């Protein structure tokens, strides 16, 4: 057993990297993203790594990122020899303590990770969204020749005006693998790294897609798709339009996170997207009821 009161917490440092590599070496068969993003995330003032030490040795780490009025917890890692002793729960509580001046603290885990889901529920997290990771190679985007009603919006005020006149039922927007409240600020953040593509006729919006490059998040340079609205034909046409007109935005993988078992996920499957991990977004709210 570990005396949790003996754990010391501090901010992560660049010279912690070798110890982080060691903790992560067996996670996802050695393909953990944390060592890849370590140095980039250290330089981002919006986030911080929290290191847990016991007797001078690193036994755990997590990353806390703040955007607008929300916090996001990610990259929770515990050294193999110290798992099952309450260290993970200790760090979750620390993240809660550090985030209680914000509106919400959110995180993501696999639907299949029942142990993690149960742990977070014990701390008052609610499951707010079930989603799929879906992806496609740009070479496999279906061809289309119907670009008549498609255009790119490159003005932030215009895109906000369009969105305010749309009927949108989504509450969250994923910026890389972080889910934020869907509002003007989060949409403009997405828009800052990419483009918005709209399909409309007679002033009525048929579809609205965002696509951005993800290199700004410190990880691989992929393309991330976010669909606010649209049916099969509109999404198909818009994707092929992006492929032929904005090749600089397309990288070996285009990925997105449609809601689990939604019409959007079915459309993407029919368009050739492959389904990966099933995910659940959990949220702990600090807003008084």
């Amino acid at each position: 057993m570990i005396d949790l009161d003996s754990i010391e917490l501090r901010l992560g440092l660049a010279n912690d990297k070798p110890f982080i590599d060691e903790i992560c070496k067996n996670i996802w068969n050695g393909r953990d993203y944390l060592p890849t993003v370590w140095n980039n995330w250290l330089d981002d003032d919006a986030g911080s790594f929290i290191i847990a030490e016991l007797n001078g040795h690193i036994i755990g780490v997590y990353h806390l990122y703040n955007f607008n009025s929300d916090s996001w917890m990610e990259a929770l890692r515990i050294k193999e020899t110290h798992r099952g002793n309450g260290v993970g729960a200790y760090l979750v509580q620390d993240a809660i303590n550090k985030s209680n001046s914000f509106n919400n603290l959110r995180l993501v885990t696999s639907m299949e990770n029942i142990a993690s889901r149960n742990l977070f529920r014990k701390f008052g997290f609610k499951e707010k969204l079930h989603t799929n990771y879906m992806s496609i190679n740009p070479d496999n985007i279906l061809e289309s020749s119907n670009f008549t009603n498609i255009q790119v919006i490159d003005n932030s005020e215009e895109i906000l005006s369009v969105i305010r006149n749309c009927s949108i039922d989504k509450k969250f927007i994923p910026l890389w693998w972080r889910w934020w409240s869907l509002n003007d600020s989060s949409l403009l953040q997405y828009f800052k790294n990419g483009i918005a593509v709209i399909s409309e006729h007679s002033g009525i919006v048929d579809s609205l897609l965002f696509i951005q490059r993800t290199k700004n998040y410190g990880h691989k340079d992929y393309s991330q798709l976010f669909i606010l609205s649209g049916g099969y034909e509109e999404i198909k046409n818009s994707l092929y339009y992006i492929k032929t007109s904005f090749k600089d935005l397309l990288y070996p993988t285009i990925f997105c996170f449609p809601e689990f078992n939604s019409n959007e996920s079915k459309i993407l499957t029919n368009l050739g997207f492959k389904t990966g991990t099933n995910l659940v977004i959990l949220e702990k709210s600090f807003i008084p009821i």
Side-chain angles (χ1 to χ4, degrees):
M1 293 295 294
I2 292 176
D3 179 7
L4 297 178
D5 291 333
S6 298
I7 293 177
E8 295 184 356
L9 301 178
R10 62 169 175 81
L11 293 176
L13 303 169
N15 58 13
D16 291 325
K17 177 70 162 46
F19 303 99
I20 298 304
D21 291 344
E22 179 66 22
I23 288 177
C24 298
K25 68 179 182 181
N26 294 323
I27 295 176
W28 298 321
N29 297 317
R31 294 181 289 109
D32 191 353
Y33 70 86
L34 180 52
T36 304
V37 302
W38 182 264
N39 290 328
N40 284 318
W41 285 10
L42 277 176
D43 294 333
D44 190 342
D45 293 336
S48 56
F49 281 109
I50 307 300
I51 295 288
E53 286 187 330
L54 183 66
N55 300 323
H57 299 286
I58 295 176
I59 62 169
V61 62
Y62 76 90
H63 189 255
L64 194 64
Y65 192 90
N66 303 320
F67 178 68
N68 288 340
S69 57
D70 294 327
S71 289
W72 181 264
M73 183 184 186
E74 59 197 345
L76 176 62
R77 306 286 186 267
I78 308 300
K79 192 174 181 180
E80 285 187 59
T81 53
H82 292 73
R83 293 173 189 167
N85 289 291
V87 180
Y90 183 88
L91 293 181
V92 172
Q93 183 61 61
D94 183 67
I96 291 171
N97 295 343
K98 287 181 167 64
S99 303
N100 60 18
S101 61
F102 292 85
N103 287 345
N104 304 286
L105 172 62
R106 297 192 190 98
L107 50 84
V108 61
T109 191
S110 166
M111 283 192 200
E112 287 71 37
N113 194 339
I114 303 301
S116 289
R117 292 168 70 179
N118 288 337
L119 170 65
F120 297 129
R121 288 194 195 103
K122 289 179 181 178
F123 283 94
F125 284 83
K126 307 294 184 184
E127 297 192 354
K128 306 298 287 188
L129 176 68
H130 295 87
T131 183
N132 302 111
Y133 174 89
M134 300 188 72
S135 63
I136 191 171
N137 184 307
D139 292 339
N140 297 327
I141 290 176
L142 299 181
E143 292 188 10
S144 173
S145 58
N146 185 6
F147 300 154
T148 306
N149 300 313
I150 298 176
Q151 61 176 313
V152 171
I153 302 178
D154 56 8
N155 179 281
S156 58
E157 289 301 318
E158 183 180 357
I159 189 62
L160 291 179
S161 176
V162 169
I163 291 169
R164 291 185 186 114
N165 290 309
C166 290
S167 177
I168 298 171
D169 59 2
K170 294 190 176 183
K171 296 182 179 179
F172 301 105
I173 180 171
L175 294 172
W176 190 57
W177 284 68
R178 299 168 180 146
W179 277 255
W180 306 105
S181 300
L182 181 59
N183 53 39
D184 289 359
S185 296
S186 55
L187 280 166
L188 290 179
Q189 184 69 24
Y190 207 107
F191 186 60
K192 183 174 72 174
N193 298 322
I195 59 171
V197 178
I198 186 173
S199 172
E200 62 179 347
H201 72 279
S202 303
I204 299 174
V205 175
D206 295 316
S207 68
L208 180 57
L209 285 66
F210 289 79
I211 191 161
Q212 67 163 351
R213 293 170 59 177
T214 61
K215 68 175 183 178
N216 293 328
Y217 301 95
H219 198 226
K220 295 179 180 178
D221 202 356
Y222 285 171
S223 302
Q224 183 175 15
L225 175 69
F226 179 60
I227 300 172
L228 268 177
S229 64
Y232 175 86
E233 288 296 333
E234 293 81 14
I235 295 173
K236 173 187 173 183
N237 296 340
S238 295
L239 283 174
Y240 193 68
Y241 176 78
I242 293 170
K243 176 181 177 178
T244 55
S245 303
F246 296 92
K247 293 182 179 179
D248 59 323
L249 278 175
L250 299 184
Y251 283 80
T253 299
I254 301 173
F255 71 95
C256 60
F257 298 104
E259 188 170 351
F260 184 70
N261 276 344
S262 64
N263 186 54
E264 180 184 326
S265 68
K266 295 173 184 175
I267 289 173
L268 292 173
T269 297
N270 291 333
L271 289 172
F273 280 72
K274 304 300 182 183
T275 301
T277 307
N278 298 323
L279 304 165
V280 55
I281 315 306
L282 297 103
E283 175 186 276
K284 182 175 178 62
S285 177
F286 302 106
I287 303 173
I289 299 176

